[in-house]
Amino acid sequence: MNGLGREQHQDFFIEEQVRTDRLRQLFRQSVSAVFGSYLAAGMLCWLCWDRLEPRLMIGWLVLLAGSSVLRLSMFLQYFRSPRSERTPQRWERHYWITLVLSAGIWGMGAFAVMPADDRLTQALVMLFAVGMSVSAVSCYSAYRYMTIVSMALVLLPCTLWLLFQPSKMQMGMAVAVLVFSSFVVGASRKLSEALETAFRLTREIERAHSISTRAAQTDELTGLMNRRAFFEKAQVLYDQCKRTHQPLCALMLDMDHFKAINDNYGHQVGDQVLREIGQVINASFRQSDIYGRLGGEEFAVLLPDTTLEVAREIGEQLIRAIARLSIDPVQVLSASLGVASNYAVGDDLQHLMNAADQALYRAKAMGRNQVAVAS
Ligand SMILES: Nc1nc2c(ncn2[C@@H]2O[C@H](COP(=O)(O)OP(=O)(O)OP(=O)(O)O)[C@@H](O)[C@H]2O)c(=O)[nH]1
C-alpha cells in the first residue's frame, strides 16, 4: 500500500472507530430512556385517569410495555455481546427499528388518548410529549437523526391535530411546540457535532500516541526493536522465565570486520548490510523470542523455553544464514555470536547479557565467524 493509500485506510479506520464510539455512547445514554418513556406515559395516565378513556390508556400502556421489553432485551444482548461484535453494522438497524416502534407508539398513543374537548388535559398531554422530546436530546445525542425522528414521532401526531383545531389557544399551543422544537433540533445538531469531534480527537490522539511509541521503540535502519525497547521487553521476559523456572538463553551477535565494509564500499552499503541482517533476524525467530539492534553492528536475541544446546544450534544457523547473504559488492560477510543461559550465570538480566557478550568476544578472539558458549 502506498503512502496515500495507507493514509486513506487509516482515516477509514478512524471513521469506523468513531462510529463504534457513538454507538457505545448511544447504548449507554439511552437505557434510562426505556424506563423514562414508560414512566412518563404511566404518570400521564394516572394524572388524567378520570378525564381519559380507560380502554385507550390501558391499550397504550400495554403496547408501550411490549416495545419497552423489546428494547430492554436488545440492550441486554448488546451489553452481553463481546466487544468485537458491538459494531454499528450489527446494531444500528436494530436500534432504529425499536426506536421508531417505541416513539411511534408513544406519539400515536398520546394522540389516541387526547380528549377532543378538554383543553387542560390537552395541555397536560402536550407537556408530557414535550418533556419526552427534550429527553430524546440527551439520550440520542450521539445520533442526531435519532433525536429528530423520535421527537417527530412523539410530538407531531398531537401537535398537527392541535394546529388544525378552530381555537386560537390550541393553535397557539401547537405553534409554540413547533417553534420550541426547531430550537431543540438546532441544539441537537451542535451537540452531536461536538460529540463526534470529541470522539474523533480522542481516536486521533490515540493513533498519534501509538505511532510515536512505535517510533521511539524501533530502530530506524533495520525496523527491529532499538536498545531501549529491547531491554524493556527483555526484563519482562527475564522476570517471567525466572518466576516460571523456564530456561532462557541470550544470543549476542556482532558483524565481523564491519568497519572494513564501510571503509571499502561506503556507509550506504554498510547500512544495506545491516538492513538485510535485520531481515534475516526478523525471519529467524518465534513470536515469543525478543530481538533487537543494540547499536552499531551488534544485535541481541532472547530465547525463552530454550536449552543452551538448542540456542547454540540456533546461533550456528543464524551465522550460516548471514554468511549466505549476497549483497553486491560485498564479497564476504560473517558474524560472531555468543550464547549464555540463565541457568548457568548470575541472578539478573545484566549478568546474562554480560555472559553472552563475553562469549561473543571469545568467538571473535578464536577467529570470528563462529559461536561461543558462556562457560
Ligand atoms: N554503515 C553503518 N556503519 C555503522 C553503523 N553503526 C556503526 N557503524 C560502523 O560499524 C563499525 C564497527 O567497527 P568496529 O567496532 O571496529 O568493529 P568491526 O570492524 O566489525 O570489527 P570486529 O567487530 O572486531 O570484527 C564502525 O566503523 C562504525 O562506524 C551504522 O548504522 N551504519
Side-chain angles (χ1 to χ4, degrees), residues 44 100 115 159 188 241 251 282 327 350:
L44 180 62
V100 168
T159 311
S188 78
C241 289
L251 309 184
N282 210 8
I327 303 166
Q350 212 48 53

Side-chain angles (χ1 to χ4, degrees), residues 221 254-259 262 267 270-271 274 293 296-297 364 368:
L221 189 65
D254 190 275
M255 295 304 296
D256 295 333
H257 302 303
F258 193 68
K259 184 172 181 317
N262 274 334
H267 247 257
D271 282 355
L274 292 175
R293 180 183 176 212
E297 12 74 272
K364 292 261 182 194
R368 295 178 171 79

Side-chain angles (χ1 to χ4, degrees), residues 145-156:
Y145 289 111
M146 287 192 186
T147 313
I148 295 172
V149 167
S150 77
M151 277 177 69
L153 287 170
V154 168
L155 281 179
L156 279 186

Side-chain angles (χ1 to χ4, degrees), residues 68-143:
S68 301
V69 168
L70 200 70
R71 293 193 86 192
L72 281 177
S73 77
M74 180 190 65
F75 278 100
L76 272 181
Q77 278 176 41
Y78 174 84
F79 287 117
R80 280 184 181 165
S81 65
R83 262 176 190 275
S84 58
E85 287 177 15
R86 296 183 194 172
T87 59
Q89 290 81 355
R90 205 183 171 102
W91 292 98
E92 271 177 2
R93 205 156 56 93
H94 284 68
Y95 200 100
W96 266 111
I97 293 171
T98 61
L99 175 81
V100 168
L101 190 71
S102 61
I105 291 174
W106 213 103
M108 289 312 289
F111 174 63
V113 298
M114 180 119 105
D117 48 2
D118 178 350
R119 304 250 165 99
L120 177 66
T121 309
Q122 286 170 3
L124 211 55
V125 171
M126 287 314 289
L127 181 72
F128 274 78
V130 168
M132 282 287 297
S133 68
V134 171
S135 68
V137 179
S138 74
C139 294
Y140 311 125
S141 53
Y143 281 74

Side-chain angles (χ1 to χ4, degrees), residues 165-291:
Q165 295 311 299
S167 141
K168 239 181 6 185
M169 198 188 121
Q170 287 168 309
M171 256 170 62
M173 197 156 48
V175 170
V177 167
L178 289 177
V179 171
F180 168 76
S181 304
S182 70
F183 284 112
V184 175
V185 167
S188 78
R189 182 166 60 86
K190 288 190 185 118
L191 189 59
S192 73
E193 278 172 5
L195 261 180
E196 192 165 333
T197 307
F199 287 139
R200 182 163 294 109
L201 281 178
T202 308
R203 291 300 184 174
E204 280 173 1
I205 288 169
E206 274 174 17
R207 181 170 74 169
H209 183 255
S210 96
I211 290 172
S212 66
T213 306
R214 214 176 312 128
Q217 293 180 336
T218 307
D219 170 51
E220 210 182 321
L221 189 65
T222 60
L224 301 182
M225 267 185 243
N226 61 20
R227 184 184 189 92
R228 207 179 76 192
F230 173 83
F231 276 105
E232 270 173 25
K233 297 246 160 48
Q235 189 62 56
V236 174
L237 182 63
Y238 186 92
D239 294 342
Q240 186 187 319
C241 289
K242 196 169 158 184
R243 247 192 343 268
T244 54
H245 305 290
Q246 256 187 49
L248 175 71
C249 284
L251 309 184
M252 279 285 212
L253 180 140
D254 190 275
M255 295 304 296
D256 295 333
H257 302 303
F258 193 68
K259 184 172 181 317
I261 294 178
N262 274 334
D263 291 348
N264 293 337
Y265 310 111
H267 247 257
Q268 281 190 337
V269 174
D271 282 355
Q272 185 55 25
V273 169
L274 292 175
R275 262 186 227 108
E276 299 219 10
I277 287 167
Q279 284 174 15
V280 171
I281 291 177
N282 210 8
S284 304
F285 295 99
R286 304 167 297 180
Q287 275 218 314
S288 52
D289 301 330
I290 287 178
Y291 44 88

